[in-house]
Amino acid sequence: WINASDTGFVVEQVSAGGPAEQAGLAKGDAITAINGKTARPEDLSHARTLLKSLSAGSTVEFSIRRGGEERVVRVKLRDLI
């Protein structure tokens, strides 16, 4: 689950054993871009819609900042059920 932050989005929750955790996302990560598009607080609704609309098996690229380091994390989506 993501929410808006001053500089983009922040990861609020990661499901144990889920795709995000397996890819390396962690609670507190600052998301600076999704699929190359800059994460802006006012775009949170659009980002959530995008993530919900992608089919299982799609890969989403998150640019994140954690502890002063920036990196790219690729998450392969799966069905919620």
Side-chain angles (χ1 to χ4, degrees), residues 11-40:
V11 177
E12 293 289 340
Q13 180 179 351
V14 177
S15 297
E21 183 184 63
Q22 291 174 351
L25 279 177
K27 182 177 179 179
D29 284 346
I31 298 172
T32 58
I34 298 175
N35 286 342
K37 183 173 179 177
T38 300
R40 300 180 317 166

Side-chain angles (χ1 to χ4, degrees), residues 63-80:
S63 298
I64 66 165
R65 186 172 41 253
R66 180 188 304 156
E69 293 184 24
E70 295 195 19
R71 62 187 234 184
V72 173
V73 176
R74 290 173 185 83
V75 178
K76 186 172 183 178
L77 303 180
R78 68 175 193 212
D79 286 331
L80 295 176

